[in-house]
């Protein structure tokens, strides 16, 4: 648990569960609280009225998300929040990858019911990126497992770095970046947030940045 | 309606400032102090601001508010 | 005279207020420098603080189109995040990863503030906030390099390392430059400030005035202070580690930032993203020198 201590100064608590050890540090506690607070507020908020103007008309119209659509998207938002809590608290890389892909799926789910071709097109492309990136994501984890024989972060923290682990780390980075729609793959995300429904869209941005912050920690711990 | 809103804001201002004062008096442990400051400083500034905003300022300003300067096209 | 014990709540609250006042003065100085370079007399240095206090007694109206309670809560989240970052960073010298998280949540809040009001201008600002999240790149590169060099991300240990081995700026100059660009992108009137560009009225802040703008400015002042402090502590911690030297250097860096902001135009969104990427990649080259 050396690297974990170097990153976080101290560990608040951990659950001994065989090889998998979920643990709580000040960092993950801060992340969990942020996610819980955001999820509650985003689930409680009603969608905004979007003002729309068109050429040739002298009026400003307002549109909003329909009731049925809002219901499904709110459900997906809450699910995304739950998956995010899994992402930040888990002490096992395989669980991390599973939760990250769940975050990706719920992100597409948030946009799947929007009745707008641009948004649906972008969501489709994001889905493609996600599917392609699941290969490096799970491949990286498989490589780390093959090399070290463990997936527990607590054990991995004590294993010194070597070239194979570095390749595994790089694959994990590429995979998680694609699943969470981070920096190089975020063009689809910018298109997707043309949709209505502020609280739900905000959840997507929150999820990708939380995955990003947790990813940094995991990349430091491995090796 | 307007009076109700002001009393609501006053109550919330007191409720959000109280944990900070209690924390100072009781000298709470570090983690709890950080949590209290993080959660209650922004809302307390917000509600104190709302209470301040609604207070009547000077007499002159109130008169100016009453005065109708523009009656429309 | 009795001083409150370090780590007690009163102490932290007083530090918070001091940082707010000092950060406000720094931003005032920043504006003054920009004005002087452009040949204007400019507002007094206390203007930014006066501005913040003024908003606290101005009337608040919430647009009917806004998404409540997100509209208010997200602004409170923005300032809460910087309060947390301030307490964990300058006051307690805790883990740097929490400050990274705070910066990330700041980005989310910017995005949410823009979305929640329902206005097309703020929506545009929030879309650009997603685009400019590439500023996260220096944020992953700089801590990574610092971690590989010092084998710790706890701020007090980083400072101790620098006192023993000399400032990290000597080892990681390119990472320091990338972090400086990150700092620059958080200063008002900066060339990368596409999120609050005047071409989209005021970006994500367009619909926010009154008390809520005051709370927002409170958060932004603290954020500027924390980022400035982090930049100085992580890369120059060996030289500047007393409060006085840090304050003096903060003034110096603010003057440099003022010169940059006054002399550069606002860059178009895609160019802004591209330039930030270039600096992040430059920082990656720094890996070769470790």
């Amino acid at each position: 648990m050396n690297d974990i201590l170097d990153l976080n100064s101290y560990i608040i608590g951990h659950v001994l569960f065989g090889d998998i050890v979920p643990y709580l540090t000040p960092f993950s506690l801060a992340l969990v609280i942020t996610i819980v607070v955001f999820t509650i507020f985003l689930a409680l908020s009603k969608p905004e009225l979007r003002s729309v103007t068109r050429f040739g008309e002298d009026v400003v119209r307002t549109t909003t998300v329909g009731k049925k659509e809002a219901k499904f998207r709110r459900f997906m938002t809450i699910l995304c929040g739950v998956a995010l809590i899994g992402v930040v608290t888990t002490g096992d890389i395989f669980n991390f990858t599973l939760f990250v892909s769940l975050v990706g799926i719920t992100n597409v789910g948030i946009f799947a019911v929007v009745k707008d071709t641009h948004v649906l097109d972008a969501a489709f492309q994001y889905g493609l990126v996600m599917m392609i990136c699941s290969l490096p994501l799970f491949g990286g984890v498989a490589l780390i497992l093959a090399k070290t024989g463990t997936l527990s972060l607590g054990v991995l923290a004590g294993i010194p770095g070597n070239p194979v682990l570095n390749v595994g780390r790089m694959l994990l980075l590429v995979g998680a970046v694609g699943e969470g729609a981070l920096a190089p793959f975020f063009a689809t995300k910018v298109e997707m947030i043309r949709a209505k429904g502020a609280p739900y869209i905000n959840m997507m941005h929150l999820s990708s940045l939380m995955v990003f912050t947790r990813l940094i920690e995991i990349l430091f711990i491995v090796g | 309606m307007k009076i109700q809103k002001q009393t609501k804001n006053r109550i919330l201002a007191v409720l959000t400032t109280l944990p900070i004062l209690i924390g100072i008096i009781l000298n709470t442990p570090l983690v709890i102090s950080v949590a209290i400051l993080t959660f209650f400083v922004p809302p307390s500034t917000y509600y104190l601001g709302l209470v301040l905003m609604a207070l009547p300022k000077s007499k002159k300003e109130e008169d100016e508010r009453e005065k109708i300067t523009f009656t429309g096209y | 005279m009795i001083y409150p014990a370090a780590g007690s709540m009163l102490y932290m609250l007083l530090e918070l207020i001091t940082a707010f006042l000092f950060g406000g003065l720094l931003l005032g100085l920043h504006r003054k420098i920009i004005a002087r370079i452009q040949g204007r007399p400019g507002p007094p240095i206390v203007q930014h603080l006066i501005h913040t206090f003024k908003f606290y007694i101005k009337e608040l109206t919430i647009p009917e189109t806004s998404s409540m309670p997100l509209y208010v809560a997200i602004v409170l989240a923005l300032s809460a995040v910087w309060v947390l970052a301030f307490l964990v960073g300058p006051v307690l010298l805790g883990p740097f990863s929490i400050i990274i998280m705070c910066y990330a949540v700041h980005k989310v809040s910017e995005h949410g503030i823009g979305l929640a009001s329902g206005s097309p201008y703020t929506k545009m600002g929030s879309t650009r906030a997603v685009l400019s999240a590439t500023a996260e790149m220096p944020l992953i590169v700089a801590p990574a390099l610092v971690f590989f060099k010092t084998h710790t991300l706890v701020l007090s240990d980083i400072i101790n390392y620098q006192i023993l081995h000399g400032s990290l700026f000597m080892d990681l100059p390119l990472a320091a430059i990338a972090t400086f660009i990150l700092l620059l992108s958080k200063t008002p009137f900066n060339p990368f400030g596409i999120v609050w560009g005047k071409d989209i009225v005021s970006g994500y802040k367009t619909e926010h005035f009154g008390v809520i703008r005051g709370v927002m400015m409170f958060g932004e002042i603290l954020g500027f202070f924390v980022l400035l402090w982090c930049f100085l502590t992580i890369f120059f911690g060996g030289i500047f580690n007393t409060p006085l030297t840090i304050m003096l250097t903060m003034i110096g860096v603010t003057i440099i930032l003022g010169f940059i902001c006054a002399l550069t135009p606002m860059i178009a969104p895609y160019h802004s993203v591209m330039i930030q990427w270039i600096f992040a990649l430059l920082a990656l080259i720094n890996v070769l020198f470790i």
Side-chain angles (χ1 to χ4, degrees):
Chain A
M1 294 239 161
N2 218 350
D3 278 356
I4 300 176
L5 287 178
D6 286 343
L7 283 167
N8 294 305
S9 72
Y10 65 96
I11 293 172
I12 295 174
H14 59 274
V15 187
L16 288 168
F17 189 62
D19 199 22
I20 310 155
V21 186
Y23 63 91
L24 209 59
T25 58
F27 172 60
S28 47
L29 187 68
L31 281 172
V32 168
I33 292 172
T34 314
I35 291 163
V36 169
V37 169
F38 262 86
T39 310
I40 290 171
F41 271 108
L42 295 179
L44 284 179
S45 302
K46 65 178 200 308
E48 90 283 23
L49 289 169
R50 171 82 71 72
S51 31
V52 183
T53 47
R54 284 207 196 94
F55 278 112
E57 280 181 357
D58 201 14
V59 282
V60 178
R61 295 172 194 285
T62 55
T63 57
T64 188
V65 183
K67 231 174 199 172
K68 230 175 168 181
E69 191 185 320
K71 210 173 163 186
F72 181 73
R73 290 174 78 184
R74 187 174 297 129
F75 168 69
M76 277 296 169
T77 307
I78 295 167
L79 203 62
C80 189
V82 174
L84 276 179
I85 293 172
V87 167
V88 300
T89 50
T90 179
D92 176 283
I93 314 186
F94 185 64
N95 286 356
F96 170 77
T97 52
L98 284 183
F99 280 122
V100 166
S101 30
L102 183 56
V103 165
I105 291 165
T106 47
N107 276 345
V108 171
I110 289 173
F111 291 91
V113 277
V114 180
K115 292 181 190 72
D116 184 334
T117 31
H118 293 288
V119 175
L120 286 176
D121 271 348
F124 174 68
Q125 278 158 10
Y126 175 43
L128 286 182
V129 171
M130 253 174 60
M131 279 196 279
I132 294 166
C133 281
S134 62
L135 179 68
L137 186 71
F138 290 101
V141 174
L143 210 60
I144 292 170
L145 178 65
K147 180 69 192 169
T148 62
T150 180
L151 283 170
S152 163
L153 283 173
V155 182
L156 280 170
I159 296 171
N162 60 57
V164 180
L165 270 187
N166 285 346
V167 174
R169 269 203 286 204
M170 281 300 124
L171 287 175
L172 195 67
L173 174 71
V174 173
V177 158
E179 293 281 338
L182 289 170
F185 300 111
F186 69 146
T188 53
K189 197 164 81 176
V190 178
E191 275 295 305
M192 270 154 87
I193 64 166
R194 289 161 67 138
K196 288 170 284 193
Y200 320 124
I201 302 170
N202 202 15
M203 190 64 193
M204 187 199 179
H205 199 45
L206 178 77
S207 71
S208 47
L209 285 172
M210 289 294 113
V211 168
F212 163 75
T213 26
R214 173 66 176 166
L215 182 68
I216 297 177
E217 198 203 352
I218 286 190
L219 291 182
F220 287 166
I221 289 172
V222 177
Chain B
M1 188 63 197
K2 208 168 187 183
I3 302 158
Q4 273 180 0
K5 215 174 189 179
Q6 175 68 348
T7 37
K8 193 193 96 187
N9 286 339
R10 279 198 178 140
I11 291 166
L12 281 169
V14 171
L15 278 182
T16 47
T17 325
L18 214 57
I20 301 172
L21 293 176
I22 290 172
I24 291 170
I25 294 162
L26 293 183
N27 214 351
T28 45
L30 191 70
V31 181
I32 296 172
S33 314
V34 170
I36 288 177
L37 284 177
T38 310
F39 278 106
F40 289 102
V41 165
S44 68
T45 52
Y46 173 66
Y47 285 111
L48 285 175
L50 280 184
V51 172
L52 277 180
M53 171 199 96
L55 287 179
K57 279 137 210 136
S58 59
K59 180 82 182 73
K60 201 179 145 202
E61 207 173 312
E62 285 299 300
D63 288 347
E64 264 175 23
R65 269 193 198 177
E66 302 275 315
K67 202 164 61 187
I68 299 162
T69 49
F70 181 68
T71 48
Y73 294 106
Chain C
M1 189 155 170
I2 307 157
Y3 289 104
S8 76
M9 188 128 157
L10 185 61
Y11 175 80
M12 288 197 275
L13 195 64
L14 289 176
E15 290 243 322
L16 197 68
I17 294 166
T18 318
F20 166 65
L21 294 177
F22 186 65
L25 288 178
L26 282 181
L27 285 178
L29 177 71
H30 176 77
R31 257 184 94 174
K32 186 84 177 172
I33 288 161
I34 292 179
R36 280 299 165 89
I37 291 168
Q38 292 170 345
R40 294 181 282 121
I45 289 173
V46 285
Q47 187 59 44
H48 201 83
L49 281 178
I50 295 175
H51 220 63
T52 311
F53 291 131
K54 182 196 78 184
F55 274 119
Y56 271 102
I57 49 167
K58 289 288 172 192
E59 197 165 350
L60 171 70
T61 50
I62 295 172
E64 220 168 66
T65 55
S66 68
S67 150
M68 282 298 280
L70 185 67
Y71 182 79
V72 174
I74 200 87
V75 176
L76 299 184
L78 186 135
S79 36
V81 149
W82 285 119
V83 170
L84 177 66
F86 176 76
L87 294 177
V88 171
V91 178
L92 301 174
L93 302 176
F96 184 59
S97 40
I98 292 186
I99 295 175
I100 298 175
M101 182 212 88
C102 289
Y103 185 83
V105 179
H106 170 86
K107 277 280 167 207
V108 177
S109 308
E110 264 184 6
H111 182 238
I113 289 168
L115 286 174
S117 72
S119 152
Y121 300 112
T122 59
K123 174 85 178 178
M124 202 68 190
S126 77
T127 310
R128 287 184 179 186
V130 172
L131 204 61
S132 76
T134 32
E136 74 206 14
M137 270 309 285
L139 209 61
I140 195 171
V141 174
L145 294 176
V146 170
F147 183 68
F148 293 145
K149 189 82 193 159
T150 63
H151 299 289
T152 178
L153 267 189
V154 182
L155 283 163
S156 53
D157 295 345
I158 294 176
I159 295 171
N160 288 337
Y161 176 90
Q162 293 186 69
I163 290 169
L164 285 177
H165 299 89
S167 293
L168 280 173
F169 178 73
M170 291 305 179
D171 304 312
L172 312 166
L174 292 172
I177 292 169
T179 318
F180 184 75
I181 295 294
L182 183 82
L183 178 65
L184 179 64
S185 72
K186 276 281 137 300
T187 3
F189 311 108
N190 72 75
F192 307 115
I194 49 172
V195 282
W196 51 62
K198 290 294 167 199
D199 50 341
I200 44 173
V201 188
S202 271
Y204 70 91
K205 296 175 182 172
T206 307
E207 296 283 339
H208 289 254
F209 37 80
V211 179
I212 212 158
R213 184 63 169 264
V215 178
M216 203 151 109
M217 286 175 84
F218 167 74
E220 282 171 357
I221 289 172
L222 271 184
F224 181 69
F225 182 91
V226 171
L227 285 177
L228 203 52
W229 182 88
C230 284
F231 172 67
L232 290 176
T233 310
I234 288 182
F235 292 106
F236 301 93
I239 317 168
F240 311 119
N241 42 32
T242 58
L244 184 70
T245 48
I246 283 188
M247 274 163 96
L248 288 176
T249 341
M250 274 181 172
I251 294 171
V253 176
T254 310
I255 291 170
I256 297 170
L257 286 173
F259 268 87
I260 295 172
C261 292
L263 298 173
T264 47
M266 174 88 83
I267 305 172
Y270 286 108
H271 294 171
S272 154
V273 170
M274 204 173 71
I275 291 170
Q276 292 186 30
W277 259 96
I278 289 171
F279 278 104
L281 290 178
L282 268 181
L284 269 180
I285 295 172
N286 220 153
V287 177
L288 302 174
F289 307 128
I290 291 183

